[in-house]
């Protein structure tokens, strides 16, 4: 199973991914609607429990919901049964709540081992993801160079600075001459 931080593509695109779901910015649905760009949400079950309809609203504005475990725990080094329960349980519950079972996965903290990828595969996951850039408090941080590259996966979180972070990600993508695209549409098979 692929574990990717950049999607191999000739297209001038980059991918906005948003993790967890602990903080529900009231501006996020309006911002996604106004921006009209696709995003991938890697949601944690424990984080979304208090307001599941919030994420249903984001789906109406181009967000696709994918798996990020039940409890946001460290997976690397844990047993196969534990990892499978966290990954499959997350995908199953998200599928039940939102009408589409996730096929993509991001391990919490970006940490994984061979067991993580085997468990994810056995849970029906097509690919797992890391990232090349992170956005926090309105600043984009790069792992390589000073610009987003074609196919890069950008990591954001549902945090208090959601609006600043989202706008910073969009500006960085546009400065690089790229367009936001939906991660699911570019998964190598």
């Amino acid at each position: 199973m692929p574990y990717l931080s950049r999607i191999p593509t000739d297209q001038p695109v980059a991918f906005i991914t948003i993790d967890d779901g602990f903080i529900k910015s009231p501006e996020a649905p309006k911002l996604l609607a106004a921006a009209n760009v696709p995003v991938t949400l890697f949601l944690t079950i424990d984080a979304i429990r208090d307001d599941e309809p919030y994420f249903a609203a984001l789906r109406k504005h181009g967000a696709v919901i994918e798996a990020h475990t039940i409890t946001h725990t460290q997976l690397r080094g844990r047993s196969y049964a534990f990892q499978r329960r966290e990954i499959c349980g997350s995908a199953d519950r998200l599928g039940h709540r939102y009408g589409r079972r996730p096929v993509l996965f991001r391990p919490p903290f970006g940490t994984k081992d061979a067991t993580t990828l085997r468990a994810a595969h056995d849970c029906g996951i097509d690919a797992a993801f890391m990232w090349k850039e992170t956005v926090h408090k309105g600043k984009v941080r790069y792992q390589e160079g000073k610009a987003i590259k074609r196919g890069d996966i950008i990591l954001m979180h549902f945090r208090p600075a959601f609006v600043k972070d989202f706008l910073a990600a969009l500006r960085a993508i546009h400065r690089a001459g790229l367009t936001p695209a939906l991660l699911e549409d570019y998964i190598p098979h």
Side-chain angles (χ1 to χ4, degrees):
M1 169 188 327
Y3 184 67
L4 305 164
S5 53
R6 177 179 288 137
I7 301 293
T9 179
D10 299 350
Q11 302 298 311
V13 296
F15 307 97
I16 298 174
T17 64
I18 311 170
D19 280 14
D20 303 341
F22 288 103
I23 295 172
K24 288 105 182 137
S25 165
E27 298 88 7
K30 292 178 272 193
L31 186 59
L32 288 184
N36 194 31
V37 298
V39 297
T40 300
L41 311 180
F42 288 100
L43 298 180
T44 304
I45 300 301
D46 285 355
I48 68 168
R49 255 189 200 126
D50 62 339
D51 191 359
E52 292 174 11
Y54 175 85
F55 300 97
L58 296 181
R59 287 182 66 220
K60 292 179 188 167
H61 303 299
V64 175
I65 295 174
E66 299 294 356
H68 193 46
T69 69
I70 296 170
T71 63
H72 202 276
T73 188
Q74 173 73 254
L75 294 176
R76 183 173 53 205
R78 305 296 291 266
S79 72
Y80 173 82
F82 178 87
Q83 293 195 46
R84 183 177 167 96
R85 190 169 44 255
E86 281 283 331
I87 298 166
C88 289
S90 168
D92 291 345
R93 291 178 194 181
L94 290 168
H96 177 74
R97 288 180 177 136
Y98 298 109
R100 177 194 165 272
R101 191 176 189 280
V103 294
L104 305 181
F105 172 69
R106 175 174 285 144
F109 317 105
T111 58
K112 52 92 180 147
D113 56 20
T115 302
T116 310
L117 297 181
R118 183 167 56 98
H121 176 269
D122 293 349
C123 289
I125 301 296
D126 294 335
F129 297 92
M130 186 71 172
W131 54 85
K132 282 293 182 186
E133 290 84 22
T134 59
V135 189
H136 185 55
K137 295 185 178 177
K139 291 191 185 246
V140 178
R141 290 173 175 81
Y142 301 90
Q143 289 180 5
E144 301 170 358
K146 295 186 182 187
I148 294 174
K149 294 178 180 58
R150 183 179 302 223
D152 278 6
I153 298 168
I154 302 158
L155 170 65
M156 286 180 48
H157 288 84
F158 285 97
R159 291 185 173 144
F162 182 90
V163 172
K164 285 171 63 175
D165 291 350
F166 190 76
L167 295 175
L170 286 179
R171 280 192 298 274
I173 289 169
H174 292 159
R175 259 196 318 272
L178 304 173
T179 301
L182 186 62
L183 185 59
E184 287 76 354
D185 292 344
Y186 287 82
I187 303 308
H189 295 288

